[in-house]
């Protein structure tokens, strides 16, 4: 299925994730109305002008208006629905994707485009739940809050496990046997990274006290390192790797070297600090290759990239949240 969007920026931001569901995005210009499109994708309130401009050119629908993304104001979809429900020109659906496996759709359960969209997503193996538009808005509003609370709980539990000399991994798995809890708790898309940053800084300072470390690799999104206090990195050779094909960070990291290759970044490193593995392949790397490229294989991992026992057998020291309480002793 094909939907019009207001700009190439929208295509660049949402094209891949929606394309994985079989939804193609095309820019709708005044001079070139793309044939085959069945409606519009709105990702922010200002996109609404696209509807007004194109309605006169396209004539009556009914067209699909798919309201998508976290930047959409609360209740926008419901407002549009109220505006157009009497004309029959548009069917408004509020949509959210969860982990590329499940979709939440808000709108009329028996609507023509709702039925069409459910079938479309099913063809791409997505499980859908249909509810009200405001229910989707509320779920999107509360999800980051809940995930942040859950992550904070497990980080605090990790500190308790450290004190008791037990494994957070095993405790979290045990808790996850209760279906009400589940196993996942580290969320790379977190809005507030302060807890992770504090944990990383504490562990890195301990590592610098216990080992002769000169070259440090920071692995993860640049937004994380921008909030990291840098005094403990003074006079160190600091390499930063944010992932392949990632743009250069807007904020200049004075004295730090940015790499677009993980092999070059970790070459002759003494300490690898993993803050966020999202968008990278670190969890898939052979540990032997990683170790061979490093001068010393000290690793502090806030993303739980490796099985603990395997990491312990390869690295000189491996520290993950709630694991290896005596690693720096």
């Amino acid at each position: 299925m094909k939907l019009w969007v207001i700009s190439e920026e929208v295509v660049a931001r949402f094209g891949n994730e929606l394309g994985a569901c079989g939804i193609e995005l095309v820019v709708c210009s005044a001079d070139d109305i793309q044939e085959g499109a069945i409606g519009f994708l709105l990702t922010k309130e200002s996109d609404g002008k696209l509807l007004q401009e194109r309605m006169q050119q396209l004539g009556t629908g009914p067209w699909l208006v798919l309201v998508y993304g976290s930047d959409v104001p609360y209740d926008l979809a419901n407002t549009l629905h109220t505006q157009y429900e009497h004309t029959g020109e548009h069917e408004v659906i509020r949509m959210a994707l969860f982990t590329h496996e499940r979709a939440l759709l808000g709108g009329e359960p028996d609507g023509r485009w709702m039925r069409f969209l459910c079938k479309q997503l099913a063809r791409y193996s997505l499980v859908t739940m249909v509810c009200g538009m405001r229910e989707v808005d509320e779920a999107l509003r509360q999800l980051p809050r809940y995930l942040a609370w859950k992550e904070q709980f497990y980080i605090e539990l990790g500190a308790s496990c450290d004190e008791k000399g037990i494994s957070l991994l095993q405790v979290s798995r045990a808790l996850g046997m209760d279906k009400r809890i589940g196993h996942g708790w580290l969320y790379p898309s977190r809005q507030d990274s302060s807890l992770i940053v504090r944990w990383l800084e504490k562990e890195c300072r301990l590592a610098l006290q216990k080992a002769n470390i000169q070259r440090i690799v920071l692995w993860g999104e640049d937004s994380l390192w921008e909030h990291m206090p840098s005094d403990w990195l003074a006079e160190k050779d600091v390499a930063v790797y944010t992932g392949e094909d990632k743009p250069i960070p807007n904020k200049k990291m004075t004295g730090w070297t940015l790499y677009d290759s993980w092999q070059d970044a970790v070459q002759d490193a003494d300490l690898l600090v993993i803050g966020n593995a999202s968008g990278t392949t670190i969890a898939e790397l052979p540990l032997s290759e990683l170790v061979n490229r490093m001068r010393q294989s000290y690793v502090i991992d806030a993303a739980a990239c490796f099985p603990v026992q395997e990491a312990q057998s390869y690295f000189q020291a491996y520290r993950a949240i709630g694991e290896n309480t005596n690693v720096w002793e």
Side-chain angles (χ1 to χ4, degrees):
M1 60 182 286
K2 185 182 296 184
L3 296 176
W4 289 300
V5 296
I6 197 169
S7 67
E8 289 289 351
E9 179 184 354
V10 178
V11 177
R13 182 175 179 185
F14 299 106
N16 288 337
E17 59 192 73
L18 291 176
C21 308
I23 301 175
E24 180 185 355
L25 305 181
V26 292
V27 178
C28 184
S29 65
D31 300 326
D32 181 23
I33 301 298
Q34 294 283 344
E35 295 183 0
I38 63 173
F40 310 88
L41 180 78
L42 304 187
T43 61
K44 54 184 182 295
E45 188 172 13
S46 60
D47 288 357
K49 67 180 182 180
L50 177 67
L51 280 176
Q52 302 297 331
E53 294 174 354
R54 300 298 178 255
M55 279 174 58
Q56 295 179 348
Q57 295 174 302
L58 298 172
T60 59
W63 303 100
L64 167 62
V65 178
L66 189 62
V67 182
Y68 180 77
S70 57
D71 296 336
V72 175
Y74 193 92
D75 210 32
L76 174 63
N78 194 64
T79 300
L80 291 173
H81 169 71
T82 302
Q83 181 178 349
Y84 294 115
E85 65 176 334
H86 299 299
T87 67
E89 294 176 344
H90 298 85
E91 180 181 339
V92 182
I93 298 177
R94 182 69 166 107
M95 177 176 169
L97 291 177
F98 295 138
T99 66
H100 306 292
E101 298 174 352
R102 294 175 172 83
L104 192 58
L105 301 177
E108 295 294 335
D110 297 326
R112 169 190 171 186
W113 291 119
M114 178 65 80
R115 296 194 302 271
F116 180 91
L117 187 55
C118 286
K119 292 178 181 178
Q120 168 74 16
L121 297 177
R123 283 195 290 269
Y124 285 81
S125 302
L126 270 77
V127 177
T128 58
M129 172 183 170
V130 177
C131 59
M133 300 176 193
R134 288 176 174 172
E135 278 82 1
V136 178
D137 284 336
E138 190 64 26
L140 288 175
R141 173 188 285 183
Q142 298 301 333
L143 181 63
R145 295 182 59 209
Y146 173 76
L147 295 181
W149 171 84
K150 189 175 183 182
E151 186 173 72
Q152 179 178 351
F153 168 81
Y154 275 98
I155 290 176
E156 293 176 356
L157 178 59
S160 177
C161 290
D162 283 345
E163 294 175 359
K164 296 177 174 65
I166 58 180
S167 168
L168 173 63
L169 176 64
Q170 299 302 326
V171 173
S172 64
R173 284 177 174 174
L175 288 172
M177 293 181 68
D178 188 320
K179 293 183 179 180
R180 296 171 298 176
I181 298 175
H183 288 95
W185 62 272
L186 278 171
Y187 300 101
S189 58
R190 64 181 70 89
Q191 296 179 345
D192 183 0
S193 298
S194 58
L195 290 174
I196 294 295
V197 167
R198 285 199 295 270
W199 182 84
L200 284 170
E201 182 188 5
K202 176 175 69 72
E203 294 301 324
C204 288
R205 289 184 184 276
L206 287 173
L208 295 182
Q209 293 174 9
K210 300 297 183 179
N212 180 20
I213 292 173
Q214 298 302 319
R215 178 172 168 80
I216 300 173
V217 180
L218 305 180
W219 186 305
E221 294 179 351
D222 60 279
S223 58
L224 184 70
W225 310 123
E226 289 175 358
H227 294 90
M228 171 76 75
S230 59
D231 59 301
W232 63 275
L233 292 167
E235 301 181 359
K236 302 297 181 183
D237 179 11
V238 180
V240 180
Y241 178 69
T242 61
E244 296 180 1
D245 301 323
K246 293 292 184 67
I248 299 297
N250 293 326
K251 181 178 179 180
K252 184 177 180 181
M253 300 177 179
T254 305
W256 298 359
T257 305
L258 303 175
Y259 289 88
D260 56 11
S261 162
W262 73 265
Q263 293 92 338
D264 294 337
V266 304
Q267 189 66 43
D268 296 326
D270 298 307
L271 174 64
L272 172 60
V273 183
I274 306 170
N276 188 317
S278 178
T280 71
T281 58
I282 189 167
E284 303 170 7
L285 296 179
L287 297 190
S288 57
E289 183 177 357
L290 196 58
V291 169
N292 289 337
R293 290 184 178 275
M294 298 178 68
R295 187 170 71 91
Q296 299 183 87
S297 56
Y298 293 102
V299 178
I300 298 175
D301 181 6
C305 292
F306 311 117
V308 175
Q309 291 184 343
E310 183 181 3
Q312 287 176 322
S313 67
Y314 276 96
F315 300 130
Q316 290 175 253
Y318 177 72
R319 180 72 164 103
I321 297 175
E323 308 292 338
N324 287 1
T325 57
N326 62 345
V327 67
W328 306 126
E329 295 180 1

